[in-house]
Amino acid sequence: MQRRTLLAGAGASVLSPLSLALSGLPGAARAAAWPERPIRVVQGFAPGGNADTIARLVSGEMARGLGQTLVVEAVAGAGGTLASAAVARAPADGYTLLLATGGHAVTGALYDKLAYQPVASFQMVSTITYFPFLLLAGPDARWRHLTDMLAAARAKPESVAYGSAGVGSTHHLAGELLARLAGVKLMHVPYKGDAAALTALLGGEVPFIVVPVTAALPHLKTGKVRALAVTGAQRWAGMPELPTVAEQGVPGYDVRSWAGWMLPAGTPAPIVERLQQETQRALQQPTVRERLEAMGGEVRASTPQEMTALVGAEVQKWTQLVAEARISRL
């Protein structure tokens, strides 16, 4: 009896932290066996776009470690809110994963009646990449630098227009934040997506637009458009000669979008931990990193807690801007 007691005690002493965590959770057996079937990966934008590409690239590598297929599905529309709503109401069992972008925080600030809370309805897993925007001037623009454009806007308020991918997009609010911090009035002209905004820029409809790096690069190579500034806090490695907005007389300006994984709130901690570890592993693979960096991104994983803090701060930032700039809520 004493020997059996000692053996039982020894067995208990070598339980893994994961096993100990599972022992105290409802549905521990299900979490221990996870994943037993393919995982649905939801993203809220058109197939073939940035979000879709990131979701497929990273989940494809994660599937190797998880031993299950990750099936990417586009639930496009309403600025990504349809996808977020679908994941928020899904079972919290680890089989529905959201590829969220910076637009998730923007819609949280702009939309009055969402079917979810942008932070509380989700369990954050990890960020994947951060990427800035470019302020891109058209072929007829007379400015060589952002400072020239801001001087023109100060001299004649609302005489300078900028295009974006649509009302309520991160691009739109990036322009509003620029106007607010620089003390100028700009006229916003919304288009239906980056392609339409670029067409308008090339056609002379607007003198500059806010656009992601990936959409701008093909046009920069032709020499028909000119980058005035990068919107992040640091210069973009792909164009190290291009100054930031902050470096050109607008201190404190920093607008970057991001992409990261979210789960429905209440997903068991061991599943969250496993997905975070697989994300880190995937982002360490040279082929994955190189492709994300080629898209203009800064590859960076995070802890769930760090991502929760990021999303909360972003929602607060954009909510304050919407109120101060008196932007109509949707």
Side-chain angles (χ1 to χ4, degrees):
M1 176 65 71
Q2 184 179 13
R3 183 170 180 270
R4 284 198 297 271
T5 301
L6 288 171
L7 286 172
S13 68
V14 297
L15 286 172
S16 70
L18 180 59
S19 300
L20 289 170
L22 288 169
S23 65
L25 285 172
R30 291 195 304 273
W34 181 91
E36 297 178 295
R37 62 179 191 270
I39 298 167
R40 180 191 183 204
V41 177
V42 178
Q43 65 87 13
F45 301 92
N50 275 3
D52 191 61
T53 301
I54 293 167
R56 292 181 186 280
L57 175 63
V58 180
S59 66
E61 179 57 42
M62 290 172 65
R64 300 174 185 271
L66 292 170
Q68 287 289 349
T69 303
L70 280 75
V71 182
V72 178
E73 177 183 346
V75 181
T81 61
L82 298 182
S84 295
V87 173
R89 64 175 176 260
D93 55 9
Y95 289 101
T96 308
L97 187 61
L98 174 68
L99 190 283
T101 69
H104 180 87
V106 170
T107 55
L110 266 177
Y111 281 69
D112 268 331
K113 295 180 181 179
L114 289 174
Y116 57 88
Q117 295 294 320
V119 178
S121 297
F122 299 91
Q123 168 61 60
M124 313 305 169
V125 178
S126 173
T127 56
I128 294 171
T129 182
Y130 292 75
F131 46 94
F133 295 90
L134 296 179
L135 303 187
L136 207 63
D140 299 326
R142 59 190 181 278
W143 317 303
R144 300 298 304 176
H145 306 284
L146 176 62
T147 50
D148 301 330
M149 185 273 283
L150 294 176
R154 289 191 186 96
K156 193 175 180 181
E158 295 189 331
S159 65
V160 177
Y162 74 96
S164 81
V167 174
S169 63
T170 308
H171 320 47
H172 170 201
L173 294 195
E176 294 289 348
L177 184 62
L178 172 64
R180 188 138 194 96
L181 293 183
V184 301
K185 289 187 177 181
L186 302 173
M187 181 184 297
H188 175 232
V189 183
Y191 293 93
K192 293 183 178 180
D194 291 319
L198 280 159
T199 298
L201 181 73
L202 292 169
E205 290 182 21
V206 286
F208 85 98
I209 62 173
V210 182
V211 67
V213 168
T214 45
L217 282 178
H219 300 280
L220 284 168
K221 290 176 181 177
T222 68
K224 292 182 179 179
V225 297
R226 181 169 60 255
L228 298 176
V230 63
T231 64
Q234 291 85 34
R235 296 190 181 196
W236 177 48
M239 295 180 69
E241 73 285 357
L242 181 64
T244 66
V245 171
E247 287 178 305
Q248 298 186 69
V250 191
Y253 187 93
D254 178 14
V255 176
R256 287 168 291 172
S257 193
W258 45 266
W261 297 128
M262 297 183 185
L263 293 160
T267 301
I271 292 175
V272 178
E273 180 183 355
R274 178 80 185 280
L275 281 169
Q276 196 272 344
Q277 290 171 348
E278 286 300 329
T279 302
Q280 280 193 319
R281 186 192 63 77
L283 296 183
Q284 290 169 358
Q285 305 309 307
T287 53
V288 174
R289 291 189 69 88
E290 287 167 9
R291 285 197 61 190
L292 289 173
E293 288 170 354
M295 295 171 67
E298 175 195 352
V299 181
R300 193 196 315 170
S302 72
T303 65
Q305 295 79 13
E306 288 168 340
M307 186 173 174
T308 300
L310 165 71
V311 179
E314 288 273 290
V315 172
Q316 183 177 7
K317 173 174 116 176
W318 295 126
T319 299
Q320 181 178 347
L321 176 66
V322 166
E324 291 177 350
R326 299 183 180 179
I327 300 170
S328 298
R329 291 175 64 86
L330 303 175

